[in-house]
C-alpha cells in the first residue's frame, strides 16, 4: 500500500483543496469526516501524517466536533488548520476564545521564529500574505508549543511543538490566496511526515481495481452512463476490475444533447464490448415534465423517474448487488456536511443520494476522492478516447435545467441545435479545451427581430462559457468579440426559433454555472 496523509474533515468548504495540494506533491491523501476518525480506523490506515481541516463550528460551543484525544498519543505528525488548530489546542490544554476582531480574507503573517513547517521561502521577520477566515482565535498555548508567527488579529497564527511534531496555523495554506501555502504543506508532508513523492494516477488505478475486485467478488454490478466523463471513467475502471460482471445502463431522458446517446452506445458497446442496456425513456420524462416550471421540481422529477427506470432495468439484469456511480469529491462536498446532515443546499444534484438507499444496492464510488482533472487523468490511464475525456461536464438533469420555464419537445430541439453549433464552433476555433464548460440556454422570452425584410418574434438564446478548476467557483470566459459575433450569426441563421443571442458574463459566485 502507498503512504497516506489523512485529512480529518471538520466541514470546511475548502477541505478538498488540502487533499489536492498533498496529491499534487505526489503523496496520496484521503479525507475522512471527523465523526469517523476513531483511533481504531486511523490505526488501520497507518497514515504518515494527519491534517485537521477548518470548519464552520466554534470550539467554544458545547457540542463542537472533536477528535479523540488518543489521536495525539499515536506518534503521528499533526497539522491543524484554522478550526483544526483550535480544536488541537483545546484538546491539548490550551485556550481558544471568541475574537473581537474577525479576520476574513487577506491578512499579513509575521514570522517570529524558525520551525520546520516554514522553510527558506518564509523568512524570519518577514511578512507574508495569507488567507484567513475565522472568528475564534487561540489565546493560550498548550505546554510544549511555541509561537512561530502572528497576525494583527491572531497572536498565535502559527504555532509548533517540534518535539511532538504538532503544528497549527490559523490561516488557510491550501487556498491560492496564500501564495506560499503550497511550500508550507510540502514542508509538512515531505520533511516532517517524511513521505516519498511517488503517488501517481497509474498507482491509483491499480489500487482502485484491486479494491473493486476484493469488494465485488463474483457479484454483479450495474452502472448508469450519462455520456459524461465521470460515469464513463467509472464504467471502464469497473470493467477492468470485474469484466462482464458489469452491465451499464444508459437512460435516455429526452434531455440529452445532440448525438449523445448514440456516441455513448457506440463507445461502450461497440468499442469496448461492455454489456450495455439502452433505454429510451424520453416519453416518460417529457410527459412528467410537462407544465413544470420550477427548477427544483424539474430536478426532482428527473431524479425520481431516473431511479424508477434504472431500478426496472436493474431487475431485468438480475441480482446486481452493486451500483457503480461516478460521484466526484466536489459533488460530495456540495451535497452533504461533515456530520451527514444537510449543509447549505444550493441545488439538488441528482446523481448524489437517493439512488442507492432506495435501491438497496451497495455503492461503489471509485472517484469520490478525485477532482475533475484527476478523473480525466485516470481516463487517459484507462485509454478512453480523448474526445470523451476532454468533454465538458454535463449535468444529470440535462437540457431540462437549460430551458427556464416549461420544457417542450420543440424547445428541446431548438436548444439542441443551438448548443451543437456553439460547441462545434468552439472546437473549430480551438477554444473548447480552454473552457471548463460551455453551453446554450433557451430563454422563455421572445423578442422582435427582422429577417429578410420580415418581422420575427422568436426566442432569446443565452450562451454560457466558464473557466474553472473544479466547478465550485468559476469566471465567465473572455471571448474575442469576433468569435462571439460569428457564433451568434450561425445560431440565428441556422436555428429556426431563435432570433437573438446574448452572452452571460456572470461569475460563480454570485451566479451558478447552470441557469437553474
Ligand atoms: P452549478 O450550476 O451548481 O454547477 O454551478 C456546478 C457543476 O455541476 C454541474 N451540475 C450537475 N451535475 N447533476 C450533475 O451531475 C446535477 O444535478 C447538476 N447540477 C449542476 C454543472 O453542470 C456544473 O458543471
Amino acid at each position: 500500500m502507498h503512504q497516506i496523509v489523512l485529512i480529518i474533515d471538520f466541514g470546511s468548504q475548502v477541505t478538498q483543496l488540502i487533499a489536492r495540494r498533498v496529491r499534487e506533491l505526489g503523496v496520496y491523501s484521503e479525507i475522512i469526516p471527523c465523526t469517523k476518525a476513531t483511533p481504531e480506523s486511523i490505526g488501520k490506515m497507518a497514515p504518515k501524517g494527519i491534517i485537521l481541516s477548518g470548519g464552520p463550528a466554534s470550539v467554544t460551543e458545547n457540542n463542537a466536533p472533536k477528535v479523540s484525544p488518543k489521536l495525539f498519543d499515536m506518534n503521528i505528525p499533526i497539522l491543524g488548520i484554522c478550526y483544526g488548530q483550535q480544536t488541537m489546542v483545546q484538546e491539548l490544554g490550551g485556550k481558544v476564545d471568541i475574537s473581537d476582531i474577525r479576520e476574513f480574507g487577506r491578512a499579513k503573517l509575521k514570522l517570529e521564529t524558525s520551525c520546520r513547517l516554514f522553510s527558506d521561502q518564509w523568512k524570519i521577520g518577514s511578512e507574508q500574505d495569507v488567507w484567513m477566515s475565522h472568528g475564534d482565535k487561540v489565546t493560550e498555548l498548550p505546554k510544549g508549543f511555541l509561537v512561530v508567527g502572528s497576525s494583527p488579529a491572531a497572536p498565535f497564527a502559527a504555532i509548533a511543538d517540534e518535539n511532538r511534531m504538532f503544528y497549527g496555523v490559523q490561516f488557510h495554506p491550501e487556498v491560492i490566496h496564500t501564495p506560499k501555502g503550497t511550500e508550507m504543506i510540502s514542508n509538512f508532508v515531505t520533511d516532517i511526515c517524511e513521505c516519498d513523492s511517488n503517488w501517481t494516477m497509474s498507482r491509483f488505478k491499480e489500487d482502485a481495481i484491486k479494491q473493486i475486485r476484493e469488494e465485488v467478488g463474483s457479484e454483479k454490478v450495474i452502472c448508469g452512463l450519462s455520456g459524461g466523463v465521470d460515469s464513463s471513467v467509472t464504467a471502464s475502471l469497473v470493467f477492468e476490475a470485474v469484466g462482464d460482471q458489469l452491465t451499464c445502463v444508459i437512460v435516455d431522458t429526452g434531455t440529452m444533447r445532440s448525438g449523445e446517446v448514440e456516441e455513448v452506445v457506440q463507445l461502450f458497446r461497440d468499442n469496448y464490448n461492455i454489456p450495455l442496456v439502452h433505454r429510451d425513456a424520453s416519453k416518460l420524462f417529457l410527459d412528467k415534465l410537462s407544465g413544470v416550471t420550477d427548477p427544483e421540481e424539474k430536478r426532482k422529477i428527473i431524479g425520481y423517474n431516473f431511479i424508477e427506470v434504472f431500478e426496472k432495468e436493474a431487475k431485468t439484469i438480475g441480482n446486481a448487488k452493486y451500483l457503480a456511480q461516478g460521484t466526484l469529491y466536489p459533488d460530495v462536498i456540495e451535497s452533504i456536511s461533515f456530520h451527514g446532515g444537510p449543509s447549505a443546499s444550493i441545488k439538488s444534484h441528482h446523481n448524489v443520494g437517493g439512488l442507492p438507499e432506495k435501491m438497496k444496492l451497495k455503492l461503489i464510488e471509485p472517484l469520490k476522492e478525485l477532482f475533475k482533472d484527476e478523473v480525466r487523468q485516470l481516463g487517459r490511464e484507462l485509454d478512453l478516447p480523448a474526445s470523451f475525456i476532454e468533454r465538458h461536464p454535463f449535468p444529470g438533469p440535462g437540457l431540462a435545467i437549460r430551458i427556464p420555464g416549461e420544457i417542450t419537445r420543440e424547445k428541446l430541439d431548438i436548444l439542441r441545435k443551438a448548443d451543437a453549433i456553439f460547441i462545434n464552433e468552439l472546437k473549430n476555433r480551438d477554444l473548447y479545451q480552454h473552457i471548463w464548460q460551455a453551453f446554450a440556454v433557451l430563454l422563455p422570452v421572445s423578442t422582435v427581430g427582422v429577417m429578410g425584410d420580415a418581422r420575427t418574434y422568436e426566442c432569446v438564446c443565452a450562451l454560457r462559457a466558464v473557466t474553472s478548476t473544479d466547478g465550485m467557483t468559476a469566471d465567465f470566459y473572455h471571448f474575442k468579440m469576433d468569435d462571439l459575433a460569428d457564433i451568434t450569426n450561425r445560431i440565428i441563421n441556422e436555428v429556426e426559433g431563435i432570433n437573438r443571442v446574448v452572452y452571460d458574463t456572470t461569475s460563480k459566485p454570485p451566479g451558478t454555472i447552470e441557469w437553474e
Side-chain angles (χ1 to χ4, degrees):
M1 272 311 270
H2 43 67
Q3 296 173 333
I4 174 169
V5 169
L6 185 65
I7 295 155
I8 299 182
D9 182 30
F10 289 98
S12 160
Q13 291 282 325
V14 287
T15 300
Q16 51 171 315
L17 289 179
I18 310 174
R20 197 188 169 91
R21 297 289 167 260
V22 176
R23 283 194 233 163
E24 280 164 358
L25 296 166
V27 175
Y28 184 65
S29 72
E30 225 172 81
I31 301 170
I32 60 168
C34 55
T35 44
K36 295 205 174 133
T38 59
E40 296 73 37
S41 64
I42 292 172
K44 262 194 216 148
M45 292 172 110
K48 295 277 288 175
I50 293 176
I51 301 179
L52 307 174
S53 86
S58 166
V59 296
T60 59
E61 290 162 7
N62 280 340
N63 55 356
K66 293 180 183 183
V67 284
S68 160
K70 287 190 189 148
L71 206 78
F72 300 98
D73 297 326
M74 294 176 86
N75 204 20
I76 303 172
I78 298 178
L79 168 65
I81 295 175
C82 195
Y83 182 90
Q85 179 206 34
Q86 294 161 4
T87 191
M88 173 168 72
V89 163
Q90 199 179 49
E91 210 52 61
L92 295 172
K95 244 180 113 186
V96 177
D97 283 323
I98 299 168
S99 179
D100 306 336
I101 320 167
R102 304 191 317 163
E103 272 178 314
F104 291 105
R106 228 170 268 285
K108 291 276 181 206
L109 175 83
K110 186 158 186 230
L111 268 192
E112 290 165 14
T113 336
S114 69
C115 100
R116 289 168 74 193
L117 197 56
F118 300 96
S119 64
D120 299 343
Q121 288 102 341
W122 299 72
K123 296 231 167 4
I124 298 171
S126 70
E127 285 203 335
Q128 303 287 343
D129 285 327
V130 294
W131 195 77
M132 298 265 196
S133 176
H134 68 111
D136 299 348
K137 65 175 181 190
V138 173
T139 51
E140 208 177 295
L141 290 181
K143 254 199 191 143
F145 275 84
L146 271 180
V147 188
V148 178
S150 60
S151 77
F156 301 106
I159 57 172
D161 177 341
E162 296 256 55
N163 285 337
R164 288 189 285 178
M165 290 186 289
F166 293 160
Y167 301 86
V169 289
Q170 184 56 71
F171 60 90
H172 287 266
E174 68 275 31
V175 303
I176 48 167
H177 311 286
T178 299
K180 290 183 183 159
T182 306
E183 277 96 356
M184 200 208 88
I185 294 174
S186 168
N187 292 338
F188 179 69
V189 169
T190 50
D191 183 20
I192 297 165
C193 303
E194 297 181 343
C195 290
D196 302 322
S197 172
N198 59 8
W199 182 75
T200 58
M201 197 43 82
S202 116
R203 281 198 69 175
F204 178 88
K205 182 184 101 174
E206 284 161 27
D207 291 348
I209 288 175
K210 203 165 137 233
Q211 258 173 25
I212 295 168
R213 270 189 200 136
E214 273 167 19
E215 158 120 42
V216 169
S218 56
E219 300 291 344
K220 284 188 181 166
V221 187
I222 52 170
C223 176
L225 281 179
S226 67
V229 59
D230 310 339
S231 61
S232 305
V233 170
T234 304
S236 60
L237 184 69
V238 175
F239 186 67
E240 280 226 3
V242 299
D244 56 15
Q245 284 164 253
L246 167 74
T247 304
C248 290
V249 180
I250 178 158
V251 178
D252 184 352
T253 56
T255 61
M256 317 282 265
R257 287 169 293 190
S258 185
E260 187 140 43
V261 176
E262 295 78 7
E263 274 178 49
V264 175
V265 172
Q266 203 205 6
L267 178 75
F268 284 90
R269 193 188 280 160
D270 305 344
N271 278 23
Y272 286 99
N273 226 358
I274 298 181
L276 173 70
V277 178
H278 166 206
R279 189 59 56 228
D280 181 357
S282 51
K283 184 171 179 333
L284 170 85
F285 280 89
L286 299 183
D287 285 353
K288 297 270 183 197
L289 285 167
S290 162
V292 178
T293 55
D294 179 68
E296 272 301 284
E297 213 183 318
K298 284 182 191 173
R299 284 172 174 275
K300 286 192 175 131
I301 288 172
I302 295 183
Y304 176 79
N305 285 285
F306 193 88
I307 298 171
E308 292 271 305
V309 176
F310 201 83
E311 204 169 23
K312 239 195 218 158
E313 294 307 326
K315 278 197 189 125
T316 58
I317 292 161
N319 291 331
K321 233 193 181 157
Y322 290 90
L323 172 73
Q325 286 207 134
T327 314
L328 298 199
Y329 194 71
D331 300 336
V332 177
I333 200 92
E334 281 201 1
S335 298
I336 57 159
S337 64
F338 69 95
H339 47 72
S343 62
S345 179
I346 313 291
K347 296 176 182 178
S348 332
H349 279 220
H350 103 238
N351 61 339
V352 183
L355 202 57
E357 231 171 276
K358 189 161 186 286
M359 295 182 66
K360 298 196 175 53
L361 285 167
K362 284 197 186 160
L363 256 196
I364 303 176
E365 292 178 307
L367 315 183
K368 79 166 186 284
E369 299 286 340
L370 299 186
F371 298 93
K372 197 91 191 176
D373 52 342
E374 291 177 321
V375 172
R376 291 199 166 113
Q377 233 177 303
L378 180 58
R380 278 180 215 110
E381 288 290 332
L382 289 158
D383 288 330
L384 278 171
S387 57
F388 255 82
I389 293 168
E390 271 133 40
R391 279 182 144 202
H392 289 173
F394 186 62
L399 300 181
I401 54 168
R402 294 179 180 172
I403 302 179
E406 192 183 351
I407 297 156
T408 62
R409 281 188 172 74
E410 293 69 35
K411 286 186 187 174
L412 281 162
D413 283 341
I414 294 173
L415 180 57
R416 256 184 218 114
K417 285 183 195 147
D419 192 73
I421 292 173
F422 186 26
I423 299 302
N424 177 267
E425 281 296 318
L426 295 181
K427 287 186 177 163
N428 289 345
R429 289 160 198 266
D430 281 336
L431 296 174
Y432 187 80
Q433 65 277 20
H434 301 294
I435 292 171
W436 200 76
Q437 193 170 8
F439 53 89
V441 179
L442 190 69
L443 303 191
V445 176
S446 295
T447 64
V448 174
V450 52
M451 278 177 101
D453 292 335
R455 179 186 191 268
T456 58
Y457 188 58
E458 294 178 338
C459 283
V460 179
C461 167
L463 301 181
R464 181 86 165 129
V466 295
T467 52
S468 176
T469 49
D470 50 23
M472 295 181 78
T473 58
D475 191 11
F476 74 90
Y477 183 74
H478 294 239
F479 278 108
K480 285 198 188 116
M481 281 298 170
D482 286 350
D483 287 325
L484 275 181
D486 293 348
I487 295 165
T488 300
N489 270 345
R490 261 201 76 189
I491 292 175
I492 292 176
N493 286 335
E494 294 176 36
V495 185
E496 214 173 299
I498 293 176
N499 71 350
R500 195 176 294 264
V501 172
V502 294
Y503 184 51
D504 180 356
T505 54
T506 318
S507 61
K508 173 184 180 175
T512 53
I513 294 176
E514 301 291 344
W515 274 44
E516 289 199 326

